Amino acid sequence: REINRLIREEHYRYREIAVVTGSVAIYENYAEEIFGKYRISYFLDTAKEVLFHPFIEWIRAALEVIADDFSYEAVFRFLRCGFCRIEEEKLDRLENYLLAVGLRGKSAWKKRWLRVPRREKHCDLEELNSMRQQIYGILSPLVDAFSSPEAKTSDGIRALYELLTGLEAEQQLWEKEAEYLSMGMEAKSKEYGQMYRVVMELLEKYNRLLGEEPLEIGAFTEVLEAGLSAAQVAVIPPAHDGVTIGDIERTRLNHIKVLFFIGVNDGIIPKSANAGGILSEYEREQLQEADMELAPGAREQAFIQRFYLYRNLTKPSERLYLSYARVDSEGKTIRPSYLIAALRMLFPALEVKEIDRIVQLADFSTPEAAVDYLISGSRGELWYALAKWFLSQEGAKKEQAEKILSAPFACYRGEPISRAVAQALYGRKLEGSVTRLERFASCAYAHFLQYGLRLGEREIAGFENVDIGNLYHAALERYSRHLEASEYDWFTVPDEVRDALAKDAMQEAAAAYPNSGIFDTAEQIHRIKRMQEIFLQTVWALTEQVQRGRFVPEQFEITFSEADNLNALEFLLNDAMHLRLRGRIDRLDTCAEDGKVYVKIIDYKSGNTRFQLLRLYQGLQLQLAVYLNAAVELCRRTHPHSEILPGGILYYHIDEPVLEYREGMSREETERMLLQALRPDGLVNRDEKIYRAMDQTLEGRSDVIPLELKKSGEISEARSQTAGTEEFFCIQEYAGLQVRRLGQRIYDGEIRIAPYREKTECSCDFCPYRTVCGFDPKIAGYAYRHMENLTKEELLDRMRTENAKESAQDKMGQGE
């Protein structure tokens, strides 16, 4: 602001003002922002390292591709530098493809690509293979040179030169130079203009010195990067009139009237001397007496620093400003340089002005500077006049002002999309899994992004948590089929046969799994082995659970399709819209007794999902209840003359629990502890006939169902998860009601951002769209949905009430 005032009010010219410091690197990042805000022409007088320039980065990346055998990271570091003349959109498609199929290695780049990603079935393999050939052709000089065992360093240098000339790197740098010059970025333009010469000179020196050495990629890259890290480029002032910003040692100032000396802090002025060294002061003196020329030591450096200080402090003819910081970038206190105390001794009348806080000045010299005052919201006469001026402008200034002025009054309204748009996005018949409806219940906006706009994360090849669950499911299905085809069943299978069938099932499932990355690394192979051990334990536990009761595993991996025509999965919504659910029951067990068939469904989980009636009530956990409705309907078809009753809905967690082993425990005690740790979670029917059909050995705490009896023989409500037959009917009816409600809300266009929060759990925790929605509870209109803490009885009462209300409305609608 002081420079701006001197220029505006006292009419100094830009070239009559200079800014110097002991370390330009600390302040150069602020120069463009601050001087640009005040539209002050300036020149940053510093030599820049070239190591991280895009052109140099491109060369380094090319060598990394060879060193890392065409790894994904190295290849795209090379391509994204912008010197391969491939469109960004094509590179995006190529990157998505490589991530999805997991291709890596030089051998993969030499062969035609035939793999198709699991999600993206319509990728253009012709275009991708064309890019593969183009990229491999670009890198082929380096590939050939570094593949030859007889190659010398000169061959590597020649190959790198062929790479540069093959892509007309010099021409591309000229084009960049002209482009930046046309944009008024003279310094950047001159920087690009010097890059090719710097690289060519370095390669020539490298060839002369080490050209006959054996070629090895590691040593070649190390030497080249050492040379590049030492290279620098500098530019002359691009304009005749501009404020010079430079270093006290490097910058040469002439005819300066005003000098700003900033960063006058200890360690910067004077610069800290390098600690230690090979030579001691005594050894340096001995060498100097022998007429050996040495670089300046700590003592000489101190005198040189004083000389530079004297030279800079005497440059300005009219004004000299000195400033120092009280804290560093980390907030730690730092001391002023000794120079401040020395000047105050020379000039006792000098006063140090301390700024406790940055005061927002009414500086309207440029629109960019005035924006700061507008943001301050002072609400004075001057502020209102400034706001009025901005709003009277056209284009970007007006748009910027409108955003600033409206920001304090921002409010999220969560307006829905129209029904016509919802129908266009989802169609007249909504199809999907129960998981889709649970996603909507969790956050309507996340559902809109995933199923309406069809936004999704990029497919990445590899063996992840979802693959673990899929593999376990496939292995369990295969085991069930193998067991059914054998001479045994769940009740009679010997241990050794069970383990052999389980091993075969797991191996077959892994071999047939469509994920190409499943056996790519030693880590993944080890994981498969550990999964096989867990799977053997899982099959043992499931067999024990079946053998404890009279329920018979009847069907596995029951997939519902359009042909099943199940009423439990078909829903008529408002305006003749239809909802059709798809799904798959992992296992259906039945027990037929006295003209009744009890139904139990089990869903295998590899995560930590726990059944909660409250979450079912909120629509967040509908899967088991909806599947029970479908299972009951299927059983009515196969047992038309029997009464079908719900037995239980359970999650079995495929896990390897950690047990607390006690010394002296028998094998039976250990197995029982393991069985209890693997006990399914969910709801079982509290009818004694039914729960004893699940566990015939039940005494006290059950090992195979979530139920515990008191000493009196009654069910311990606090330690059990049970529901009566009528309560199961209520839950089943409410699940259908909730499905229909959610479908209606989807077609009503609801897309409000309103995630739920329950204690420490929140629907935003693992949401892939959390960076898209902009949810912020500090902004009006945004808020979490907090679930009420209701007891089981309260939840069931609410379900009965809502079921009755819905039934009455349906009857009224039918009467009309």
Side-chain angles (χ1 to χ4, degrees):
R1 291 195 179 97
E2 182 63 16
I3 293 175
N4 187 56
R5 188 190 65 79
L6 292 172
I7 293 170
R8 308 290 179 185
E9 298 178 10
E10 302 193 22
H11 306 293
Y12 283 97
R13 296 181 179 180
Y14 291 134
R15 64 173 179 268
E16 295 173 338
I17 302 173
V19 179
V20 295
T21 180
S23 178
V24 177
I26 297 176
Y27 295 97
E28 64 178 331
N29 292 333
Y30 302 102
E32 182 176 356
E33 177 187 352
I34 302 301
F35 282 82
K37 178 189 293 186
Y38 290 95
R39 299 183 181 179
I40 297 172
S41 177
Y42 72 96
F43 167 64
L44 191 63
D45 182 24
T46 181
K48 292 188 177 182
E49 294 183 356
V50 304
L51 191 60
F52 299 106
H53 188 275
F55 179 62
I56 305 301
E57 184 73 5
W58 181 61
I59 295 173
R60 296 170 63 202
L63 296 173
E64 185 184 358
V65 171
I66 306 302
D68 289 358
D69 190 28
F70 281 74
S71 69
Y72 156 76
E73 293 81 6
V75 168
F76 275 90
R77 178 187 172 196
F78 173 72
L79 297 175
R80 293 294 186 183
C81 289
F83 287 89
C84 293
R85 296 188 185 275
I86 301 177
E87 298 174 15
E88 287 293 319
E89 188 176 341
K90 288 185 177 181
L91 288 180
D92 291 340
R93 290 196 289 271
L94 176 64
E95 184 174 13
N96 288 340
Y97 177 77
L98 291 179
L99 286 172
V101 299
L103 288 172
R104 56 179 63 85
K106 181 176 68 174
S107 58
W109 280 81
K110 291 173 68 177
K111 296 182 294 186
R112 181 176 177 79
W113 292 339
L114 300 173
R115 291 185 191 174
V116 177
R118 284 184 291 176
R119 296 182 201 163
E120 185 64 42
K121 304 301 182 185
H122 304 291
C123 61
D124 190 343
L125 287 177
E126 290 301 322
E127 179 189 55
L128 293 168
N129 276 290
S130 175
M131 282 190 282
R132 175 190 63 80
Q133 291 176 326
Q134 180 182 355
I135 294 165
Y136 192 80
I138 291 171
L139 292 164
S140 58
L142 289 176
V143 173
D144 296 340
F146 285 95
S147 299
S148 173
E150 295 84 16
K152 299 179 181 179
T153 298
S154 58
D155 297 319
I157 295 171
R158 187 178 301 106
L160 188 56
Y161 177 76
E162 290 177 13
L163 172 69
L164 300 180
T165 54
L167 285 172
E168 300 178 330
E170 186 176 18
Q171 177 65 33
Q172 291 194 60
L173 289 170
W174 286 344
E175 292 171 1
K176 289 282 186 183
E177 180 183 6
E179 180 183 345
Y180 282 116
L181 186 62
S182 65
M183 296 166 59
M185 303 172 68
E186 291 88 353
K188 197 79 171 176
S189 172
K190 293 181 182 296
E191 183 181 322
Y192 270 85
Q194 299 179 63
M195 281 298 154
Y196 196 76
R197 175 185 55 80
V198 169
V199 171
M200 289 298 106
E201 289 178 356
L202 177 62
L203 292 180
E204 288 177 5
K205 293 177 182 177
Y206 196 178
N207 190 52
R208 287 199 302 270
L209 292 171
L210 301 170
E212 296 304 312
E213 294 293 320
L215 181 61
E216 194 275 319
I217 184 63
F220 183 90
T221 303
E222 186 177 350
V223 173
L224 186 64
E225 289 195 351
L228 291 171
S229 64
Q232 294 181 327
V233 294
V235 296
I236 60 175
H240 176 66
D241 194 15
V243 175
T244 298
I245 305 172
D247 184 89
I248 59 172
E249 296 184 14
R250 171 185 169 83
T251 304
R252 302 293 182 262
L253 302 173
N254 293 304
H255 310 296
I256 295 298
K257 293 184 178 181
V258 181
L259 179 68
F260 287 83
F261 197 166
I262 61 176
V264 189
N265 285 91
D266 189 29
I268 300 177
I269 303 296
K271 291 182 179 178
S272 299
N274 292 329
I278 297 176
L279 302 177
S280 66
E281 285 297 321
Y282 173 76
E283 290 169 334
R284 293 178 64 85
E285 291 176 3
Q286 294 293 319
L287 291 172
Q288 286 175 344
E289 289 178 2
D291 295 329
M292 298 289 290
E293 185 177 355
L294 302 174
R299 186 180 179 190
E300 290 88 346
Q301 285 287 3
F303 286 117
I304 292 172
Q305 286 277 307
R306 290 196 175 194
F307 168 72
Y308 284 130
L309 288 176
Y310 171 78
R311 191 175 68 176
N312 280 275
L313 293 175
T314 57
K315 282 293 181 182
S317 59
E318 297 183 10
R319 302 188 184 207
L320 173 63
Y321 294 81
L322 293 96
S323 68
Y324 60 91
R326 289 185 295 182
V327 294
D328 61 11
S329 58
E330 298 178 355
K332 298 178 181 178
T333 302
I334 52 178
R335 296 178 299 177
S337 168
Y338 79 92
L339 179 61
I340 299 297
L343 288 174
R344 294 188 70 182
M345 290 180 62
L346 290 173
F347 305 98
L350 283 178
E351 294 183 6
V352 177
K353 295 183 179 180
E354 296 190 10
I355 303 175
D356 294 329
R357 59 187 179 88
I358 298 176
V359 180
Q360 185 65 51
L361 301 178
D363 188 347
F364 304 152
S365 55
T366 65
E368 293 81 3
V371 166
D372 291 342
Y373 188 75
L374 189 67
I375 294 173
S376 69
S378 301
R379 296 297 191 273
E381 183 179 347
L382 193 59
W383 185 89
Y384 283 107
L386 180 63
K388 184 177 180 181
W389 181 85
F390 267 105
L391 293 175
S392 67
Q393 302 301 301
E394 297 295 334
K397 291 187 180 66
K398 182 179 180 180
E399 183 180 347
Q400 183 184 26
E402 288 174 345
K403 289 181 179 180
I404 293 171
L405 296 174
S406 63
F409 310 102
C411 179
Y412 174 69
R413 304 189 184 282
E415 297 178 356
I417 58 177
S418 68
R419 290 192 176 188
V421 172
Q423 184 177 332
L425 288 174
Y426 308 122
R428 293 188 63 85
K429 187 170 185 178
L430 190 67
E431 293 192 24
S433 64
V434 181
T435 304
R436 174 175 180 174
L437 297 180
E438 292 173 347
R439 163 67 84 175
F440 181 84
S442 172
C443 178
Y445 192 70
H447 171 272
F448 168 67
L449 294 179
Q450 181 174 353
Y451 297 99
L453 301 185
R454 290 173 171 68
L455 301 184
E457 295 178 286
R458 291 199 297 189
E459 182 180 350
I460 299 178
F463 198 58
E464 302 178 357
N465 290 335
V466 65
D467 298 300
I468 294 174
N470 292 338
L471 193 54
Y472 279 135
H473 276 77
L476 283 167
E477 182 185 8
R478 288 174 181 270
Y479 172 79
S480 302
R481 284 196 275 106
H482 291 340
L483 182 61
E484 186 178 0
S486 72
E487 58 183 304
Y488 304 103
D489 59 23
W490 287 84
F491 294 93
T492 61
V493 60
D495 293 348
E496 60 276 8
V497 175
R498 180 197 65 218
D499 291 344
L501 293 177
K503 286 180 181 178
D504 291 343
M506 190 64 183
Q507 290 172 357
E508 290 175 13
Y513 195 66
N515 190 326
S516 60
I518 193 170
F519 295 114
D520 280 355
T521 64
E523 179 185 359
Q524 303 296 14
I525 294 173
H526 173 72
R527 180 181 289 187
I528 292 295
K529 290 180 179 179
R530 294 290 304 125
M531 287 181 64
Q532 188 172 54
E533 295 173 4
I534 296 173
F535 184 70
L536 290 175
Q537 175 184 279
T538 297
V539 173
W540 166 82
L542 293 173
T543 304
E544 286 289 322
Q545 291 167 9
V546 171
Q547 292 178 355
R548 292 288 184 95
R550 298 192 301 275
F551 274 80
V552 179
E554 187 169 308
Q555 297 186 61
F556 303 88
E557 300 294 330
I558 309 167
T559 302
F560 307 122
S561 64
E562 192 81 27
D564 294 323
N565 195 26
L566 292 174
N567 294 327
L569 302 178
E570 288 277 0
F571 299 87
L572 179 63
L573 310 178
N574 292 338
D575 302 326
M577 299 296 180
H578 290 267
L579 168 61
R580 167 75 187 180
L581 289 179
R582 297 191 302 267
R584 183 182 63 185
I585 298 176
D586 292 335
R587 196 177 100 202
L588 169 61
D589 295 0
T590 60
C591 179
E593 290 182 349
D594 302 327
K596 299 178 182 179
V597 176
Y598 307 126
V599 178
K600 177 180 69 174
I601 63 170
I602 296 179
D603 193 62
Y604 301 130
K605 294 291 184 185
S606 56
N608 295 318
T609 305
R610 295 291 172 184
F611 180 81
Q612 296 180 39
L613 194 59
L614 175 61
R615 294 174 66 83
L616 187 150
Y617 176 72
Q618 297 288 347
L620 301 171
Q621 205 171 66
L622 296 169
Q623 186 182 47
L624 286 179
V626 171
Y627 285 0
L628 180 60
N629 289 338
V632 167
E633 187 173 346
L634 284 174
C635 286
R636 285 200 181 105
R637 294 180 180 181
T638 55
H639 303 82
H641 304 297
S642 301
E643 183 182 4
I644 311 299
L645 296 176
I649 49 177
L650 299 171
Y651 287 129
Y652 176 84
H653 296 276
I654 302 173
D655 194 10
E656 186 180 30
V658 178
L659 304 179
E660 185 178 347
Y661 178 78
R662 296 188 300 274
E663 189 174 353
M665 288 179 63
S666 65
R667 179 178 177 180
E668 290 74 15
E669 290 175 321
T670 305
E671 288 183 349
R672 183 176 183 186
M673 184 182 294
L674 178 60
L675 202 58
Q676 287 187 346
L678 294 171
R679 189 176 71 166
D681 173 70
L683 276 181
V684 295
N685 197 313
R686 62 187 303 113
D687 186 321
E688 186 172 1
K689 288 184 179 180
I690 299 177
Y691 70 70
R692 287 201 177 274
M694 296 184 196
D695 187 358
Q696 299 180 95
T697 63
L698 176 60
E699 291 182 9
R701 187 176 191 270
S702 173
D703 297 336
V704 296
I705 56 173
L707 187 143
E708 184 171 340
L709 299 179
K710 299 178 182 178
K711 291 181 179 180
S712 62
E714 296 178 349
I715 295 175
S716 172
E717 298 295 342
R719 297 177 179 272
S720 304
Q721 292 176 274
T722 63
T725 300
E726 182 275 330
E727 292 171 337
F728 261 105
F729 290 155
C730 174
I731 291 170
Q732 291 174 252
E733 183 181 355
Y734 180 80
L737 167 63
Q738 188 67 276
V739 166
R740 194 163 71 172
R741 284 178 177 174
L742 294 173
Q744 289 169 348
R745 288 167 58 190
I746 290 173
Y747 273 120
D748 287 341
E750 183 178 334
I751 60 169
R752 184 174 183 81
I753 305 173
Y756 77 86
R757 168 166 281 181
E758 179 191 13
K759 297 179 182 178
T760 59
E761 183 182 348
C762 174
S763 55
C764 296
D765 290 342
F766 302 103
C767 178
Y769 307 105
R770 60 186 307 171
T771 56
V772 178
C773 68
F775 177 79
D776 186 350
K778 296 187 288 294
I779 298 177
Y782 285 115
Y784 288 108
R785 291 180 289 122
H786 295 277
M787 293 191 285
E788 296 180 78
N789 188 16
L790 301 172
T791 64
K792 185 176 76 171
E793 290 71 21
E794 290 172 332
L795 287 168
L796 289 169
D797 285 342
R798 290 197 180 189
M799 289 182 187
R800 292 188 187 98
T801 301
E802 294 184 34
N803 288 341
K805 183 179 178 181
E806 186 71 14
S807 178
Q809 289 177 350
D810 287 345
K811 288 180 180 178
M812 289 177 61
Q814 291 172 6
E816 292 176 0

